[in-house]
């Protein structure tokens, strides 16, 4: 039994203790009620932490190995990243292997320490032991970052011609990862990669084929020139893995070069024979049932491919495919659904959908049912309802679908209903009647009020009934249905549509009644509205409430007029005059901006901030009571209404984007006869509905068949006639006539066959490519000769001297001072200490003499603080770059390792570790200034950020890649802005009492008080408020609005500074900095 | 005794032949059936070779090995693993080895108590992936000598090393079984303590 022996075991030492963890954890899995695993693991992690602290590398490696296992169990081991690097750099292969394994399992692009691995990896890559190199390459393939890719690209490229095939194949494969992370390396490395296609070792060859295939699949056109080479490989290679890749590659190439297709036929036939043989092998070695499942799946997959070229041959297997819908395996069902989508035609659509509907009823589980539902809608609506010949049938299918319980696609059904009703004019009458039934039966649907639930269809139903109310037969009944109290339980947005559309309905009823002279009936309906509308006025939904109260007032007014016996219907109906035309989704985008119109220019000057601040709160928040007691008389009189209408019409006339009610040319052609002759009403009468209120789509299938039959007969008659007229002698037997798709004329036409576009729309532009596509960067022309500038950066060795601490670099300062610049003179003293940190001297060691000296002077103490009102957490750092070498510097990139508090502002879309390119190049002896913006969270502490400047040095010998490390020091003073302050305001500030106080004293000051104040003003951004003899008060403000007040007193040989500030930390840091400045005086 | 019963051998391509494999509990099948639009939480299509990742897990849903060829954060990895393990375990033995999941294709195969599960891109070949899985199992079998789940648990690092010699960055690196095993054996020779995989089992008394 478990007696804790294993737990002791882990303390006992190195050997096998990883197995103890494993055993314990495995045991735990079997009786997890006996052992609290979390406790055990945390104990293990504690022990591991102890082990990591030891010097013995074997202990460490074992600890890391245990961590790797724990990582797999889901425990966070990112804290040990540094220890992993330690183990990686062990000299013994045993440990190195474990280190790299751990790194490959847990490092990712966000791992900070990854940049520390560069040199270690480079060392391992050039190790004499091929397994060291191999393990480094394997590890690198898992965690390569853009930085690593850039720095190591050249090393890996060299390895591609290593003497050992083992290394070569790994290097070739990893190059693909490098290309993805550092696309610039593709062109320089490509010639060598191409060479590897003909490598004597089959492994290397297959690796090269793999890489080029993957590259070519993404951007095939750049690789067309390789086709002959691959053709040769395909005919000569015997490695099936390679052949499959090559075929894949040709699949991508053939669309671009049609001639390839013909050439490929023969070798492909040969290959297929061979593959069939290997397929048999598969059958023999694998479990048969898996293969059957797979075969079914693949068969369906293959069918979907055949479907594209030979639709007829697949359509004959319709029944088989429908059978697959019954399969237990979801993958197969989904495949079958996909196939159905592709194989519908006008002829079989109804049948297929009917079968699908049966499946919908049978399907268990809402998810699959939802999938079926979306597929049905997809199938029907594809390519502008191309296959629908009878929209009445489709509407009834949609209505049937509303009976599904628990679907999440109510919205989809609603959208389809709206789309069909708007775009298919001939169907509106039928649609309206069906929607009225839905509204009448709303209680069946409304029970499910969840988001996107089936109740969404009521949204569509209400809108359709309102908008096309002229087609409604029992308007009163529908209005009644919409006013039922139950409606108030629907979601807000649906209620809002209800409210709006019941007015439309009301308007049309009113008109009807007035025309018939039934004044009393008209007044009754008004009274009904007034009685029922208040339930919506009380709605919790603002939109409903607002609409309802507006409308209630309008109707009350109408009632007044009705009592005076004034005819109002015309006016009311005019509120909803005008027809809504369907507009293509992209229409707005395609309207060109007229010349001379600047969309970014202000139309009016924006109101000043202070004004809006005063008004906003009042207008947004109202007391609920206030709202109800408010006087709500709208006072719209006849004139006012007429005037408003006139204004609106004029506005519409002037508005180029308003679609006027006058018929557009597109609409005219759709109104051609052929639509009207369909006996819509007849159908309605001839179908006895089984469930009252619910249409049966099945009936339409029969009806449609009859219709088609009739149509066919008519056609045949015509044909006969024609033939008779033509005196044709070759009469075919009628029964042989097969119905083709083209013969079936749809019963109704769909508007916008071509999308309705504004008149002056621009020609269709291509769909934008995804800017995030990582492969886009690899779309590089590979046939162009390689330019010098494209050579891979070669890291030059640093002189050991450079790695010493800054104080050894004192001579540099002297060197620099030979070329003093204006700015440097200004801040000479301050800069000197910074530059010690920032300057590095580089020598090319191989040549044994100094070749290049690059210096960078970062004038980091001249912060520009921008946008301190809107953006209180940004500072701008101006950096001056000076090239003191004789070489040309280009592709400079500045990168800073962000801290929690301070972050460099990078352009949108770039990663956290991306550098920012410096927007200029530097010829020898030139300096230039660039600005970088940083965001800071807290400014009470000074900040130090480490960074690197990487650049390419180009001289006669070629180009090399160089780096300079530097530190950016954000002193607290740099967050202060010199702000003038009057003495009375200053006094008030001091009196307010909410400032913290602190003071310092510095001895041994010899400079004059005047001079001293100037220093404080200059370096610490203060302004003098008042000065009395050897005593001065000073003031400054931080970018985040802290007030800082100083009282500076000069004694004999000393200076004392008393400070007051809102933030005590900020103050003490500021004073410390000041102390440093002053002590140098 | 709570000690785990000796698991059935994966056997020479034994498939799901053990009597214990009868039926996996039907978990929330099809949690991923729907393919929703990519949520912003998910990364953009990741640059990778053919294979996105490989997972090995037991019939109880315990992860035994994971190899990711796409850079993802730990959180995402965990989420994907959890979802996939559930989906795959819910499938019945007779069902086919492929399923579509998000915008990837999942190819899995069960060997005794272990599921080998790979994710490939849409245009990639499922059968070749099945072949890769099979080849990997063959390699493990050759290396450990009739491999079983415990071999992979106790020598997980070896399992990783073998995988690394076989696949690199999601691409098949070496198609010759012989070469892969040779590389592994030689690398093992470099280790000072040449511990055989067998000794582990002896250590815990499972021989």
């Amino acid at each position: 039994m478990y007696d804790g022996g294993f737990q002791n075991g882990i303390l006992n030492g190195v050997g096998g203790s990883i197995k103890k963890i494993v055993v314990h954890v495995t045991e735990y899995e079997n009786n997890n009620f006996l052992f609290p695993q979390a406790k055990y693991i945390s104990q293990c992690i504690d022990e591991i932490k102890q082990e990591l602290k030891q010097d013995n590398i074997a202990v460490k490696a074992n600890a890391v190995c245990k961590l790797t296992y724990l990582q797999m169990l889901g425990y966070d081991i990112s804290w040990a990243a540094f220890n992993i690097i330690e183990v990686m750099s062990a000299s013994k292969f045993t440990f190195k292997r474990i280190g790299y394994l751990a790194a490959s399992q847990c490092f990712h692009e966000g791992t900070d320490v990854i940049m520390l691995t560069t040199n270690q990896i480079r060392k391992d890559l050039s190790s004499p032991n091929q397994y060291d190199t191999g393990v480094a390459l394997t590890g690198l393939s898992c965690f390569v970052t853009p930085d690593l890719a850039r720095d190591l690209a050249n090393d890996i490229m060299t390895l591609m011609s290593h003497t050992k095939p083992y290394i070569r194949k790994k290097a070739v494969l990893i190059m693909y990862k490098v290309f993805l992370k550092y696309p610039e390396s593709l062109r320089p490395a490509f010639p060598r990669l191409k060479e590897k296609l003909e490598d004597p070792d089959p492994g290397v060859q297959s690796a090269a084929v793999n890489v080029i295939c993957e590259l070519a699949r993404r951007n095939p056109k750049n690789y067309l020139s390789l086709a002959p080479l691959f053709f040769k490989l395909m005919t000569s290679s015997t490695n099936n893995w390679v052949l499959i890749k090559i075929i894949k590659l040709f699949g991508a190439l053939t669309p671009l070069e049609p001639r390839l297709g013909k050439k490929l036929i023969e070798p492909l036939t040969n290959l297929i024979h061979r593959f069939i043989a290997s397929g048999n092998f598969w059958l023999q070695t694998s479990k048969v049932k898996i293969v059957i499942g797979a075969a079914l799946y693949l068969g369906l997959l293959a069918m979907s491919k055949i479907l594209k070229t030979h639709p007829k041959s697949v359509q004959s297997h319709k029944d088989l495919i429908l059978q697959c819908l019954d399969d237990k395996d979801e993958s197969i069902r989904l495949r079958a659904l996909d196939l159905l989508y592709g194989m519908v035609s006008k002829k079989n659509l109804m049948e297929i959908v009917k079968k699908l509907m049966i499946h919908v009823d049978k399907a268990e589980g809402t998810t699959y049912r939802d999938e079926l539902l979306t597929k049905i809608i997809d199938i029907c609506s594809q390519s502008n309802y191309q296959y629908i010949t009878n929209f009445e049938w489709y509407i009834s299918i949609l209505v049937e679908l509303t009976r599904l319980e628990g679907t999440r696609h109510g919205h989809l059904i609603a959208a389809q209903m709206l789309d069909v009703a708007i775009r298919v004019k001939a169907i509106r009458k039928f649609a309206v009647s069906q929607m009225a039934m839905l509204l009448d039966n709303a209680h069946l649907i409304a029970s499910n009020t969840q988001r996107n639930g089936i109740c969404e269809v009521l949204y569509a139903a209400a809108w359709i009934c309102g908008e096309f109310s002229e087609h409604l037969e029992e308007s009163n009944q529908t209005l009644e249905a919409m006013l039922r109290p139950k409606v108030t339980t629907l979601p807000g947005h649906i209620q809002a549509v209800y409210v709006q559309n019941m007015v439309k309905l009301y308007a049309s009823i009113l008109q009807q009644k007035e025309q018939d002279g039934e004044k009393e009936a008209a007044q009754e309906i008004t009274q009904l509205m007034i009685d029922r509308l208040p339930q919506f006025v009380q709605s919790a939904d603002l939109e409903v409430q607002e609409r309802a109260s507006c409308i209630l007032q309008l109707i009350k007014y109408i009632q007044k007029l009705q009592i005076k016996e004034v005819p109002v219907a015309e006016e009311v109906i005019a509120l909803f005059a005008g027809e809504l035309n369907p507009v293509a989704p992209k229409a707005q985008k395609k309207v060109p901006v007229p010349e001379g119109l600047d969309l970014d220019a202000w139309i009016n000057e924006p109101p000043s901030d202070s004004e809006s601040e005063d008004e906003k709160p009042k207008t947004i928040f109202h007391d609920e009571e206030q709202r109800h007691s408010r006087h709500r008389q709208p006072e719209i009189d006849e004139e006012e209404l007429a005037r408003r209408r006139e204004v609106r019409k004029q506005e519409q006339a002037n508005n180029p984007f308003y679609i006027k009610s006058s018929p557009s040319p597109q609409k005219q052609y759709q109104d051609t006869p052929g639509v009207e002759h369909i006996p819509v009403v007849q159908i309605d009468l001839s179908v006895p509905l089984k469930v009252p209120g619910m249409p049966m789509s099945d009936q339409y299938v029969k009806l449609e068949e009859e219709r088609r039959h009739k149509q066919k007969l008519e056609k045949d008659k015509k044909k006969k006639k024609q033939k008779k007229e033509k005196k044709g002698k070759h009469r075919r037997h009628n029964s042989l006539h097969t119905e083709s798709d083209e013969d079936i004329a749809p019963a109704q036409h769909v508007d916008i066959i071509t999308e309705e576009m504004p008149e002056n729309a621009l020609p269709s532009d291509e769909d934008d490519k995804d800017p995030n596509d990582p492969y886009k960067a690899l779309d590089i022309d590979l046939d162009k000769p390689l330019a010098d500038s494209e050579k891979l950066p070669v890291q030059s060795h640093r002189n050991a001297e450079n790695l010493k601490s800054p104080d050894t670099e004192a001579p540099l300062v002297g060197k620099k001072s030979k070329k003093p610049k204006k700015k440097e003179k200004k801040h000479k003293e301050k800069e000197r200490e910074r530059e010690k940190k920032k300057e590095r001297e580089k020598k090319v060691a191989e040549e044994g003499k100094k070749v290049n000296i690059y210096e960078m002077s970062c004038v980091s103490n001249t912060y520009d603080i921008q946008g301190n009102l809107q953006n209180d957490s940004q500072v701008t750092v101006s950096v001056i770059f000076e090239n003191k070498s004789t070489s040309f510097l280009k592709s400079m990139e500045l990168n800073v390792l962000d801290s929690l508090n301070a972050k460099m502002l990078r352009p949108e879309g770039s990663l956290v570790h991306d550098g920012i390119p410096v927007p200029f190049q530097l010829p020898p002896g030139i300096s230039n200034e660039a600005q970088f913006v940083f965001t800071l969270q807290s400014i009470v502490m000074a900040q130090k950020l480490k960074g690197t400047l990487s650049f390419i040095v180009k001289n006669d010998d070629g180009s090399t890649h160089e780096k300079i490390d530097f530190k950016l020091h954000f002193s607290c003073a740099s967050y202060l802005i010199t702000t003038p302050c009057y003495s009375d305001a200053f006094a008030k500030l001091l009196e307010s009492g909410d400032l913290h106080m602190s003071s310092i004293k510095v001895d041994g000051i010899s400079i004059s008080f005047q001079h001293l104040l100037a220093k404080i003003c200059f370096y610490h951004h203060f302004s003098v408020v008042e000065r009395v003899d050897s005593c001065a008060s000073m003031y400054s403000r931080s970018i985040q609005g802290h007030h800082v007040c100083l009282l500076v007193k000069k004694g004999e040989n000393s200076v004392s500074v008393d400070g007051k500030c809102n933030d005590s930390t900020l103050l003490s840091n500021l004073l410390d900095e000041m102390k440093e400045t002053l002590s140098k005086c | 005794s709570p000690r785990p019963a000796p698991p059935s051998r994966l056997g020479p391509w034994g498939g799901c032949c053990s009597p214990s494999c009868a039926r996996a509990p039907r978990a929330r099948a099809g949690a991923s059936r729907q393919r929703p639009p990519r949520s912003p939480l998910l990364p953009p299509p990741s640059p990778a070779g053919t294979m996105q990742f490989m997972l090995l897990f037991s019939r109880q849903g315990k992860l035994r090995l994971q190899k990711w060829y796409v850079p993802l954060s730990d959180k995402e990895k965990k989420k994907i693993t959890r979802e996939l393990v559930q989906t795959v375990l819910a499938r019945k033995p007779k069902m086919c080895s492929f399923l579509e999941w998000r915008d990837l294709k999942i190819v899995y195969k069960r060997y005794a108590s272990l599921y080998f599960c790979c994710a490939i891109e849409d245009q990639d070949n499922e059968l070749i992936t099945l072949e890769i899985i099979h080849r990997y199992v063959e390699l493990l079998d050759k290396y450990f000598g009739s491999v079983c789940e415990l071999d992979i648990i106790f020598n997980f690092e070896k399992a990783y090393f073998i995988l690394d010699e076989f696949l690199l960055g999601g691409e098949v690196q070496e198609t010759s079984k012989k070469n892969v095993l040779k590389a592994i054996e030689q690398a093992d020779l470099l280790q000072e303590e040449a511990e055989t995989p067998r000794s582990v089992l002896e250590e815990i008394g499972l021989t």
Side-chain angles (χ1 to χ4, degrees), chain A residues 682-906:
Chain A
Q682 275 177 16
I683 290 173
D684 212 15
L685 293 172
S686 64
V687 183
L689 297 176
K690 280 181 189 165
V691 182
M694 289 296 178
M696 293 302 292
S697 58
D698 289 359
Q699 308 293 332
Y700 290 100
V701 180
K702 270 184 209 158
L703 279 169
E704 179 65 15
E705 270 161 18
E706 278 168 28
R707 189 181 72 86
R708 281 182 198 173
H709 187 68
K710 246 189 237 169
Q711 215 172 31
K712 208 173 87 186
L713 285 180
E714 267 171 38
K715 254 189 199 159
D716 287 349
K717 262 186 207 165
K718 266 187 200 166
K719 264 187 195 163
K720 275 180 199 166
K721 259 187 197 171
Q722 279 175 350
K723 279 181 180 167
K724 269 179 192 168
E725 280 164 16
K726 284 181 182 173
K727 298 168 195 169
K729 282 167 193 171
H730 308 283
R731 283 175 74 174
R732 261 189 227 157
H733 204 277
N734 262 339
S735 60
L736 282 178
H737 176 85
T738 48
E739 201 177 14
S740 73
D741 252 18
E742 288 69 31
D743 290 337
I744 307 166
Q748 294 94 0
H749 283 278
V750 186
D751 273 10
I752 353 178
I753 296 300
T754 56
E755 294 181 326
E756 188 165 296
M757 286 294 175
E759 283 150 37
N760 48 354
L762 293 170
S764 156
D765 46 348
E766 287 166 35
D767 284 332
D768 294 340
K769 280 183 182 171
D770 181 11
N772 289 331
D773 185 6
Y775 305 108
K776 215 175 155 190
L778 287 181
D779 190 1
I780 296 166
D781 185 2
L782 294 162
D783 298 332
K784 266 197 307 193
L786 204 61
D788 258 6
S789 57
E790 284 181 300
K791 280 186 184 150
L792 281 181
V794 179
Q795 196 88 12
S796 57
H797 294 276
R798 288 173 193 215
N799 200 321
E801 217 181 287
N802 300 321
L803 303 170
K804 283 179 193 165
S805 57
D807 55 351
T808 60
E809 287 173 84
L812 261 183
V813 181
K815 212 177 282 164
K816 184 192 62 72
S817 61
K818 281 179 200 162
K819 295 178 184 174
K821 294 178 304 179
K822 267 188 195 169
K823 263 211 161 127
E824 281 177 7
K825 261 185 187 170
K826 248 184 176 175
H827 316 292
K828 210 173 175 181
E829 288 157 346
K830 262 234 126 159
E831 256 178 55
R832 188 169 291 156
E833 53 164 309
R834 301 214 190 296
E835 276 164 4
K836 272 185 198 167
K837 290 173 204 155
K838 282 162 204 158
E839 290 170 4
R840 290 286 186 275
E841 184 186 3
K842 301 243 159 79
K843 295 170 188 174
V844 178
E846 293 107 320
E847 296 179 26
K849 56 179 182 182
K850 280 185 201 169
V851 178
N852 302 319
I853 301 163
Y854 318 102
E855 289 179 20
M856 179 181 66
S857 36
C858 293
V859 192
S860 55
N861 52 336
T862 56
Y863 293 122
D864 250 17
I865 295 154
Q866 284 183 340
N868 43 14
L869 275 177
Q870 284 87 15
N871 224 327
D872 54 6
S873 55
Q874 285 192 353
V875 291
T876 308
V877 179
S878 311
V879 185
I880 292 179
F881 299 88
E882 188 182 9
N883 180 3
K884 298 196 170 182
S885 72
T886 54
S887 311
F888 191 87
L889 303 187
K890 54 177 276 185
S891 315
M892 289 192 278
E893 257 197 0
L894 187 115
N895 198 2
V896 171
L897 198 61
D898 289 346
S899 70
L900 278 176
N901 190 25
K903 289 185 170 46
M904 183 154 76
L905 207 65
R906 291 170 168 88

Side-chain angles (χ1 to χ4, degrees), chain A residues 22 29 31 72 74 92 97 105 131 166 169-170 177 214 218 248 282 329-331 335, chain B residues 2 33 64 66 69 78 91 96 98 100 121 124 131 153 165 171 173-174 186 188 191-192:
Chain A
V22 168
E29 282 162 12
N31 25 208
M72 186 165 69
K92 279 190 181 141
R97 202 181 189 189
Q105 289 302 106
Y131 294 103
Y166 177 78
K169 73 179 182 218
K170 279 181 191 269
K177 292 267 171 178
E214 287 304 313
R218 318 291 181 187
K248 202 165 153 190
W282 237 100
D329 191 344
E330 183 191 325
S331 301
R335 273 271 151 254
Chain B
R33 189 180 284 137
R64 295 300 178 214
Q66 53 168 349
Y69 298 109
K78 269 188 212 165
R91 291 174 63 84
C96 77
F98 318 119
E100 280 162 57
E121 283 187 319
D124 290 319
E131 190 72 46
I153 299 172
E165 286 298 329
E171 296 283 346
Q173 178 190 167
E174 180 55 71
Q186 283 180 351
D188 281 349
Q191 297 211 6
E192 314 134 303

Side-chain angles (χ1 to χ4, degrees), chain A residues 917-933:
Chain A
V918 179
F920 46 78
Q921 306 185 334
L922 280 185
I926 301 295
S927 69
N928 203 343
E929 180 180 319
Q931 294 190 325
F932 302 91
V933 181

